[in-house]
Amino acid sequence: MVSFDVVSLFTRVPLGESMYLIRESFPPDIAELFRVCLTGSYFLWNGNYYEQTEGVAMGSPISPIIANFFMERFEEKALESSILKPAVWFRYVDDTFVVWIIKFTMETEVNNQLAFLDVLVKRNGDHLDHTVYRKPTHTDRYLHKLSNHHPSQKQGIIGTLANRARRICAKEHIQEELSHLNKAFLVNGYKDREINAALAPRQGRPEQENTVNKAFLPGHR
């Protein structure tokens, strides 16, 4: 459940759009009376007279009518164009009570730590640390070495997790995360040598100059 309140509704009602709506809904002579009432507002401040050119006058008996008239059309357009429709929408002038079908949950930090996706953010004095987050139910079970998969897939899993560690972890936590991965894959049957090879930083492909891209078209014999 939420509630909305329009900020300074009367002084923010657009006169041009309001007059357009009035002319669509009332005969010309009635619309002209509305125009005279809405555009003839003056006030005295600090010894000087001013004309109000935007919004409707505070205290005028016609102002609540025009404000409510504008809000009706405004909320009709808003609700028609909204992707998520509220289950309940009640409005009284500028105050609205709304019940959304969608619900949110909220987590707050515990012991100066908060998990977001696979990142664990830690409050450390006046700055934030970050490392890899694992759920309490995580078991470090990955594709086993003896699994009937291509070796490149197995090496790719280790390399991907190592790459994630370097992208997510703060510098002081990278080695700790890589050591954790080393122990985890030893348990999953991998040899220390192949683990270290997969955990090593990946080297980018060297750029080749004057390369020619080739395209092949299917032919018929």
Side-chain angles (χ1 to χ4, degrees):
M1 296 183 295
V2 296
S3 64
F4 300 114
D5 184 12
V6 180
V7 178
S8 304
L9 173 61
F10 283 5
T11 57
R12 294 180 182 272
V13 172
L15 291 182
E17 188 172 348
S18 298
M19 283 304 308
Y20 176 80
L21 297 175
I22 289 171
R23 292 189 180 99
E24 280 190 332
S25 306
F26 295 94
D29 53 344
I30 302 298
E32 178 62 17
L33 291 176
F34 274 109
R35 187 194 66 79
V36 172
C37 294
L38 293 175
T39 59
S41 298
Y42 299 88
F43 59 93
L44 175 66
W45 184 78
N46 200 23
N48 296 316
Y49 285 93
Y50 295 88
E51 179 184 5
Q52 182 172 344
T53 58
E54 280 298 331
V56 292
M58 299 290 293
S60 172
I62 199 175
S63 295
I65 300 173
I66 300 302
N68 192 59
F69 187 65
F70 170 77
M71 286 299 298
E72 284 183 2
R73 299 300 179 92
F74 179 82
E75 69 180 359
E76 284 178 4
K77 290 183 178 180
L79 293 174
E80 288 175 359
S81 60
S82 175
I83 298 176
L84 297 176
K85 308 294 183 183
V88 175
W89 180 280
F90 295 132
R91 181 182 58 83
Y92 180 75
V93 189
D94 61 342
D95 292 297
T96 308
F97 175 81
V98 183
V99 176
W100 293 100
I101 298 176
I102 187 171
K103 296 181 179 180
F104 293 90
T105 61
M106 183 179 71
E107 293 185 31
T108 57
E109 62 182 72
V110 178
N111 296 327
N112 295 326
Q113 297 183 355
L114 179 66
F116 179 71
L117 301 179
D118 56 352
V119 182
L120 181 62
V121 182
K122 303 178 181 180
R123 186 191 300 275
N124 187 1
D126 59 351
H127 70 280
L128 298 178
D129 280 340
H130 39 93
T131 186
V132 173
Y133 171 72
R134 293 179 178 85
K135 293 183 178 181
T137 55
H138 183 76
T139 61
D140 277 333
R141 297 288 294 179
Y142 298 104
L143 192 64
H144 197 274
K145 171 65 177 177
L146 299 180
S147 177
N148 188 24
H149 288 75
H150 194 277
S152 63
Q153 291 180 285
K154 301 173 184 178
Q155 291 293 304
I157 293 174
I158 305 175
T160 298
L161 292 175
N163 192 39
R164 180 183 71 165
R166 294 187 176 90
R167 289 177 179 271
I168 289 179
C169 296
K171 290 183 178 180
E172 57 269 25
H173 298 302
I174 293 178
Q175 191 55 49
E176 177 186 352
E177 175 63 19
L178 294 179
S179 297
H180 178 92
L181 293 175
N182 187 289
K183 295 177 182 178
F185 281 98
L186 284 173
V187 174
N188 282 272
Y190 293 81
K191 296 180 180 180
D192 193 67
R193 175 177 52 81
E194 56 188 347
I195 296 174
N196 290 332
L199 291 179
R202 298 180 179 179
Q203 301 295 329
R205 292 183 178 180
E207 295 185 1
Q208 298 180 359
E209 297 182 358
N210 301 324
T211 56
V212 178
N213 295 326
K214 297 181 180 180
F216 298 91
L217 298 176
H220 298 278
R221 292 183 178 180

